[in-house]
Amino acid sequence: MIVCHCQNITDRDIDAAIDWMRAADDSTIITPGKIYRALGKTADCGGCMPLFLSTMRRNDNMEVPAPLRSLRVGKAKEFNYERRQEGH
Ligand code: FES
């Protein structure tokens, strides 16, 4: 099924991009912009965003990475990983 008509992106393209990103980095935050970039495309009109997002949410790899789940309950200090270098 075509999700984005401007860029001819299907639900399979979105699933493949999500699975690829999750396999490459299990702690990455996946956004529509990252999916467009992974597919080598850019959003045009944005009219597909509601369907694009619902297609993303159906993918099993869209869950929040385990280390980031504790941030909402105030455990952010326990998890001190922001990809900053130690000397910064
Ligand atoms: S339909 Fe997806 S950007 Fe226009």
Side-chain angles (χ1 to χ4, degrees), residues 27-29 64-72 79 81:
S27 63
T28 189
I29 302 293
V64 176
L68 301 178
R69 284 186 207 145
S70 61
L71 295 177
R72 204 174 247 188
F79 182 69
Y81 176 68

Side-chain angles (χ1 to χ4, degrees), residues 4-6 36 43-48:
C4 176
H5 290 273
C6 291
Y36 273 101
D44 191 7
C45 72
C48 59

